[in-house]
Amino acid sequence: MPSNKNMIKPYKRLLTIQDISCVGQCSLTVALPILSACGHETAVLPSAVLSAHTAFNHFSFRDLTEDMPIIEQYWNQEQIKFDAFYIGYLGNRNQIQYVKSIMKSTANANCLKIIDPAMADNGKLYTGFDQSYVESMKKLCEEADYLLPNLTELCLLTDTNYREEYDESYIDKMLSKLKMFCSGTIILTGVNFIHGYTGVIIYDGKTKSYYKHKQLPQNCHGTGDVFASTFTGVLLKNNDVYDAVKIACDYTLECMIHTIQDNSHWYGTKFEITLPNLISRLSK
Ligand code: PXL
């Protein structure tokens, strides 16, 4: 038994709310293993159960909206509280009010809210979402301590046309617009205004940093979930935000390198092979 209190490592209990896509390496099937590997107790609230994610041609979709207030009621009865929330893909816009209520009634003091407004990529909304979902998502974003949009989501949240080619001022205008209703730190993924490089911008309203790395010839599906889960896991180990972004970027890149070697692996990111490297990096 450790006698010195300082020997006790940070052990956080967090709640992640996102879907279970039974097949497809995204959402909970990515978040759970990564957050556990980072050493956190992770509770889950599935927003929906899909046979596979929405990039597949055909998929079943079981909406779990009705369960949300019931589960909240039981948690309140048991006085269950969380140190952090990580919110990802939600099933529909009605879930946003329940997610807000759950975050309010089950938060410990100093609880962190990490929100990935997962709804779009490559200039398009995911199948099943429309403009009314975007409008509701803006309301959820107001609550974030850390908001993790990709470029398409940033465009949607700021009513800006999506462009494939752009300069820094295009990004800066959107960041300022988002900052008007999101007081948290913005972590913007997939930013490549320097030829051959891609990276992540961290913007807290005063300071802007850019962590970049060489761009790979190909993108992979599900990298946003690998990045957001790793960022959350690393941040909750009392790392600063820049370190959490750096470690999450490096790990995501490593996973992508494994994935693109296999041409048939179009639907997800092979994050499992290199998970031991993330664990050993964190235990240093
Ligand atoms: O990776 C984001 C994501 C999460 N959940 C579902 C999805 C997607 C992206 O396509 O369809 C169900």
Side-chain angles (χ1 to χ4, degrees):
M1 284 280 286
S3 55
N4 182 343
K5 257 170 79 180
N6 295 330
M7 285 172 70
I8 298 172
K9 296 219 163 125
Y11 182 77
K12 300 275 167 54
R13 180 199 266 173
L14 74 138
L15 169 66
T16 182
I17 307 180
Q18 42 189 317
D19 68 285
I20 296 178
S21 284
C22 301
V23 169
Q25 283 168 314
C26 71
S27 309
L28 281 179
T29 63
V30 169
L32 257 185
I34 292 180
L35 291 164
S36 301
C38 292
H40 307 298
E41 177 185 339
T42 309
V44 299
L45 179 48
S47 55
V49 178
L50 293 83
S51 55
H53 61 61
T54 61
F56 282 80
N57 288 331
H58 308 282
F59 53 86
S60 66
F61 188 99
R62 165 114 17 224
D63 185 307
L64 297 177
T65 310
E66 278 178 22
D67 294 53
M68 288 183 158
I70 301 169
I71 290 173
E72 179 184 10
Q73 203 189 331
Y74 280 94
W75 282 347
N76 289 168
Q77 239 172 41
E78 297 289 337
Q79 296 183 4
I80 289 169
K81 302 280 177 197
F82 300 103
D83 304 312
F85 301 105
Y86 160 32
I87 313 299
Y89 180 104
L90 300 176
N92 64 65
R93 72 196 189 102
N94 297 328
Q95 293 190 348
I96 289 174
Q97 55 171 319
Y98 294 126
V99 170
K100 281 185 174 187
S101 173
I102 290 165
M103 291 199 295
K104 197 164 170 202
S105 70
T106 65
N108 269 333
N110 303 321
C111 182
L112 281 184
K113 294 176 192 154
I114 298 149
I115 298 178
D116 177 354
M119 59 181 169
D121 205 0
N122 302 314
K124 283 196 272 218
L125 280 163
Y126 295 141
T127 305
F129 292 147
D130 58 14
Q131 189 57 33
S132 71
Y133 187 77
V134 176
E135 294 310 317
S136 304
M137 183 52 80
K138 289 180 186 172
K139 297 274 166 231
L140 185 63
C141 292
E142 289 172 5
E143 305 226 347
D145 295 303
Y146 294 93
L147 185 68
L148 281 67
N150 60 33
L151 190 57
T152 307
E153 289 154 351
L154 179 65
C155 289
L156 289 164
L157 292 171
T158 58
D159 306 304
T160 309
N161 284 333
Y162 174 80
R163 282 172 26 190
E164 303 237 318
E165 296 200 358
Y166 50 86
D167 57 13
E168 202 170 348
S169 77
Y170 170 72
I171 302 287
D172 287 348
K173 275 190 202 125
M174 288 193 280
L175 290 174
S176 306
K177 217 169 161 187
L178 183 57
K179 210 78 201 74
M180 283 156 62
F181 62 92
C182 171
S183 61
T185 299
I186 301 164
I187 316 283
L188 174 65
T189 57
V191 185
N192 45 5
F193 48 72
I194 302 172
H195 184 71
Y197 288 87
T198 187
V200 173
I201 287 182
I202 305 163
Y203 181 60
D204 64 6
K206 290 191 202 97
T207 316
K208 193 179 80 172
S209 347
Y210 183 40
Y211 181 69
K212 66 177 189 319
H213 55 74
K214 281 235 159 78
Q215 189 168 17
L216 294 177
Q218 221 176 297
N219 277 335
C220 306
H221 196 275
T223 49
D225 295 345
V226 174
F227 175 82
S229 305
T230 315
F231 169 80
T232 301
V234 178
L235 185 79
L236 294 179
K237 290 193 83 92
N238 298 339
N239 285 292
D240 77 26
V241 58
Y242 191 83
D243 285 341
V245 164
K246 184 176 170 349
I247 293 173
C249 267
D250 294 351
Y251 175 61
T252 307
L253 186 70
E254 218 186 318
C255 297
M256 288 173 74
I257 290 168
H258 284 286
T259 311
I260 61 181
Q261 287 163 3
D262 176 355
N263 282 337
S264 66
H265 203 92
W266 65 270
Y267 55 84
T269 304
K270 292 185 176 182
F271 69 94
E272 306 87 350
I273 297 166
T274 181
L275 198 52
N277 294 353
L278 176 66
I279 298 174
S280 54
R281 186 162 179 188
L282 289 179
S283 52
K284 274 183 201 138

